[in-house]
């Protein structure tokens, strides 16, 4: 990658000069923080070293067309000469051809799928899909595993077999005894995170943003072209706040609300409320197709069918592995992606007809994926707990989630239990970053959002739009799929292509009609689909 860096002549000195600037939130002209100086040093070193691309490790499961390498970053940016960790990176080169025509290469497009805890190592594979071919012609597609994820200095907080232990209960309105049990589990998990990971406090969104700048330098880009989905929008926004002069183009797909007051406790409460609305959307769709599924002709009827299955699984888990907790997790995915709707409805219908096999196939834990699942949750917990203050008194959690569960019972308490280790976290908390950019400090950026997205409620996209001056929001109206870039909506994809390929954005904002609802499946057609869908 030294050759790519050479195109910019004095890129190394530009990196150092631009990075050693007043840190976010400080007064203009204030001395740079040790972390700011450390990022400059690490980026300069990464630019000089580049990435040595070669065959990917078997553990990545990637074909020979994808090449892999590593980037070294400081564990602690305040001490760039101290301990280093290596991030795994994947890439396919720009094809430079689209629709039979030659296309000029525009650099590297770096992608993060969110989480925290998601790996983007698979990202270069999307280049063969029709929705991505024009972008893949112009850009090297670069994916990576953020710190803590996969083989990038992985975090673990618990024995994976214990983490995926099944079956489990998931009471909608937990009693005092169950709450005490979950408090004990949360405390044990937090302790495990602390004892197993000596550098735990360094796994933060701020460091993810700094790592991204080091990666930018390592792939030979003076300015970053980046697409982040879900949580990727948040630390992408942190990056834009810290390094606005290093941005070329940025796409924020399904944006997290970056208001510091919402990071992360408030965001999770809002998320639970939004999932109730999306759960209602799913039940309305099932009711509309009652002739196929026979689960009820109204959303309330469908809910009664679901609760009947839930009650039966509480007493007799399907296949010995699918209890209410596994049922909840499986149907939560239907809140994220409507392409899960047909198979989830088919599984529920089959179960009530005496066939539990589809539900077992869709909801039972997969032992082979236990380590990856536990690793993802460990990173999620570490980053969110480290990023901002959380209530440390369970009475606050109990009050807020009990009130919310009265109007939004579907996801509320399960979401609370997932995040409760943050109440007992052993590492120091930081104050949430005040994401914002001044007028003309940042090039125009693109925000994509579905109006009924539950995982990142729509208000978050509007808040990000207000905070990143010059950003443009494109809305898929009436839809709720989480992550809409390069999906089934041609209108959304048109805006994505125009921006990444031409730098062209709507003047203010734009609206797209929703993509088509999924078609119902039943019987043999549903059985033909791969497991896990």
């Amino acid at each position: 990658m030294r050759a790519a860096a050479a195109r910019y002549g004095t890129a190394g000195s530009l990196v150092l000069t631009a990075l050693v600037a007043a840190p976010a939130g400080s007064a203009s002209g204030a001395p740079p923080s040790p972390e700011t100086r450390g990022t400059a040093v690490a980026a300069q070193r990464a630019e000089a070293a580049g990435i040595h691309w070669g065959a990917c490790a078997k553990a990545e499961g990637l074909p020979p067309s994808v090449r892999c390498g590593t980037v070294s970053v400081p564990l602690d940016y305040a001490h760039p000469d101290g301990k280093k960790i290596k991030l795994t990176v994947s890439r396919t080169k720009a094809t430079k051809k689209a629709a039979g025509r030659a296309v000029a290469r525009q650099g590297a497009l770096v992608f993060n799928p969110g989480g925290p805890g998601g790996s983007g190592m698979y990202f270069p594979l999307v280049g063969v899909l029709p929705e991505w071919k024009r972008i893949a012609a112009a850009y090297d597609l670069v994916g990576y595993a953020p710190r803590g994820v996969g083989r990038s200095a992985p975090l673990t907080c618990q024995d994976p077999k214990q983490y995926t232990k099944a079956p489990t209960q998931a009471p909608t309105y937990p009693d005092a005894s169950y709450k005490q049990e979950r408090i004990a589990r949360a405390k044990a998990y937090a302790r495990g995170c602390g004892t197993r990971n000596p550098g735990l406090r360094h796994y933060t969104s701020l460091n993810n943003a700094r790592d991204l700048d080091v990666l930018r330098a390592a792939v030979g880009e003076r300015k970053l072209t980046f697409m982040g989905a879900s949580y990727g929008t948040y630390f992408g926004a942190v990056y834009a706040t810290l390094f606005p002069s290093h941005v070329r183009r940025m796409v924020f797909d399904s944006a997290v609300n970056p208001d510091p007051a919402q990071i992360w406790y408030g965001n999770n409460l809002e998320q639970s409320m939004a999932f109730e609305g999306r759960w209602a959307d799913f039940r309305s769709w099932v009711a509309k197709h009652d002739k196929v599924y026979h689960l009820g002709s109204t959303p309330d009827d469908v809910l009664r069918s679901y609760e009947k299955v839930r009650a039966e699984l509480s007493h007799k888990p399907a296949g010995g592995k699918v209890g209410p907790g596994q049922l909840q997790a499986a149907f939560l995915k239907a809140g994220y992606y409507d392409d899960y709707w047909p198979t989830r409805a088919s599984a529920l219908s089959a179960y009530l007809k005496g066939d539990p096999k589809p539900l077992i196939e869709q909801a039972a834990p997969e032992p082979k994926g236990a380590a990856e699942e536990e690793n993802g949750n460990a990173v999620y917990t570490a980053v969110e707990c480290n990023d901002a203050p959380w209530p440390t008194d369970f009475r606050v959690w109990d009050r807020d989630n009990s009130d919310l569960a009265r109007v939004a019972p579907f996801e509320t308490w399960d979401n609370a239990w997932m995040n409760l280790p943050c109440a007992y976290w052993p590492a120091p908390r930081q104050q949430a970053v005040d994401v914002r950019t001044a007028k003309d400090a940042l090039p125009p950026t693109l925000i994509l959002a579905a109006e009924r997205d539950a995982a990142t409620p729509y208000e978050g996209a509007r808040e990000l739009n207000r905070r990143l001056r010059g950003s443009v929001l494109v809305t898929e109206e009436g839809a709720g799929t989480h992550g809409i870039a390069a999906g089934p909506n041609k209108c959304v994809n048109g805006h994505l292509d125009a921006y990444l390929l031409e730098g062209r954005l709507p003047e203010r904002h734009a609206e797209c009609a929703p993509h088509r609802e999924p078609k119902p499946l039943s019987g043999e057609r549903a059985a033909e689909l791969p497991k896990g869908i």
Side-chain angles (χ1 to χ4, degrees):
M1 299 307 295
R2 292 188 188 93
R7 295 200 308 270
Y8 306 114
T10 58
S13 60
L14 284 171
V15 165
L16 191 58
T17 301
L19 277 167
V20 182
S26 68
S28 177
S33 69
E35 290 82 3
T36 302
R37 291 192 294 267
T39 309
V41 170
Q44 194 172 29
R45 290 170 178 169
E47 181 187 35
I51 298 176
H52 301 286
W53 300 104
C56 299
K58 287 185 179 181
E60 302 295 350
L62 297 170
S65 58
V66 179
R67 309 301 282 173
C68 291
T70 61
V71 174
S72 180
V73 300
L75 177 65
D76 179 358
Y77 277 94
H79 302 284
D81 295 322
K83 183 178 179 179
K84 307 291 193 304
I85 58 177
K86 289 185 177 180
L87 311 183
T88 56
V89 188
S90 59
R91 184 193 71 174
T92 52
K93 290 186 177 181
T95 64
K96 299 182 182 180
K97 288 185 179 180
R101 296 182 180 181
V103 173
R105 179 183 177 275
Q106 295 196 37
L109 171 61
V110 180
F111 175 76
N112 178 272
S119 173
M121 289 294 288
Y122 68 88
F123 175 63
L125 296 176
V126 305
V128 300
L129 300 176
E131 296 85 358
W132 285 97
K133 281 190 173 181
R134 293 183 66 203
I135 295 171
Y139 289 94
D140 299 346
L141 301 182
V142 176
Y144 73 108
R147 61 171 58 201
V149 178
R151 295 187 304 115
S152 297
L155 293 182
T156 180
C157 296
Q158 184 181 20
D159 181 342
K161 291 181 181 178
Q162 291 299 313
Y163 178 74
T164 57
K165 188 176 180 180
T168 57
Q169 297 295 324
T172 304
Y173 305 104
D175 60 20
S177 176
Y178 188 79
K179 289 175 183 177
Q180 289 303 313
E181 176 188 335
R182 293 309 300 244
I183 289 170
R185 286 167 59 179
K187 289 179 177 179
Y189 190 82
R191 284 196 303 270
C193 290
T195 57
R196 290 169 179 248
N197 307 288
L200 185 63
R201 67 187 181 92
H202 300 296
Y203 291 78
T204 65
S205 293
L206 270 168
N207 280 341
N208 282 338
R210 293 166 181 141
D211 290 346
L212 184 59
D213 203 59
V214 177
L215 176 58
R216 170 201 59 76
V219 296
E221 298 294 337
R222 192 176 68 169
K223 290 182 179 287
L224 175 71
T225 303
F226 174 76
M227 177 185 289
S230 193
Y231 166 72
T233 68
Y234 177 66
F235 84 82
V238 172
Y239 182 94
T241 301
L242 295 177
F243 312 111
S245 64
H246 295 188
V247 173
R248 177 179 178 265
R249 291 173 191 163
M250 297 191 90
V251 179
F252 303 92
D253 182 12
S254 304
V256 167
N257 188 332
D259 184 345
Q262 295 299 110
I263 303 295
W264 287 101
Y265 183 73
N267 274 337
N268 278 285
L269 291 172
E270 286 191 349
Q271 185 186 72
S272 294
M273 187 69 216
F275 267 113
E276 195 67 26
R278 198 62 181 147
W279 172 231
D281 291 348
F282 167 70
R283 290 185 285 114
S284 295
W285 179 87
V286 175
K288 187 164 62 176
H289 298 290
D290 185 47
K291 290 183 179 179
V292 176
Y293 298 115
H294 307 292
L295 292 170
S297 58
T298 70
D300 285 344
D301 289 340
V302 175
L303 179 60
R304 281 187 281 272
S305 293
Y306 176 83
E307 291 297 344
K308 182 179 179 181
V309 173
R310 182 187 179 99
E312 290 184 9
L313 294 175
S314 179
H315 298 293
K316 185 180 179 181
K321 290 292 184 181
V322 179
Q326 290 64 49
L327 178 75
Q328 166 69 18
F331 277 81
L332 181 63
K333 290 182 180 178
Y336 279 87
Y337 310 110
D338 58 20
D339 50 5
Y340 278 101
W341 290 4
T343 53
R344 292 296 186 265
S346 294
L348 207 64
S349 179
Y351 181 89
L352 289 172
K353 293 176 183 176
D355 179 11
K357 185 178 177 181
L359 186 61
I360 295 169
E361 290 180 344
Q362 294 180 38
E366 176 55 60
K368 292 181 180 178
E372 181 180 349
E373 192 172 340
E374 192 279 330
N375 168 240
N377 190 74
V379 178
Y380 167 89
T381 308
V383 172
E384 293 215 354
C385 295
N386 285 334
D387 267 3
W390 289 74
T392 57
D393 185 341
F394 180 72
R395 287 176 296 184
V396 175
W397 295 69
D398 196 12
R399 178 200 65 206
D400 293 344
N401 287 280
S402 294
D403 289 348
L404 185 58
R406 292 187 181 97
V407 293
F410 175 67
E411 167 65 359
T412 294
W413 276 110
D414 275 5
N415 203 4
W417 303 137
M418 182 176 182
N419 293 291
L420 189 57
C422 293
Y424 313 107
W425 198 239
R429 327 299 181 90
Q430 63 184 32
Q431 292 300 313
V433 177
D434 186 13
V435 166
R436 63 178 68 248
T437 57
K439 186 178 181 181
D440 300 326
L442 185 72
T445 56
L446 173 63
I447 302 170
L448 305 175
E451 195 172 32
R452 293 188 63 78
D453 184 357
T456 52
Y458 183 65
E459 176 55 32
R462 297 180 64 182
E463 181 67 18
L464 183 62
N465 186 210
R466 288 189 285 266
R467 287 172 173 267
L468 297 185
R469 301 289 292 272
S471 62
V472 172
L473 173 59
V474 172
T475 302
E476 185 180 18
E477 297 181 311
T481 289
H482 182 59
I484 61 175
N489 193 308
K490 292 183 179 180
C491 171
V492 172
N493 295 342
H495 289 294
L496 177 68
D497 284 359
Y499 176 63
L500 286 179
L501 300 176
E502 305 168 33
R504 182 164 49 88
L505 287 168
E507 187 173 338
R508 284 191 174 183
H509 53 78
E511 290 76 35
C512 293
H515 65 274
R516 291 182 179 178
E517 288 187 339
K519 294 181 179 179
L521 296 174
S522 64
E524 294 180 1
R525 289 181 67 203
E528 291 171 357
L529 293 175
K531 292 182 180 181
I533 293 183

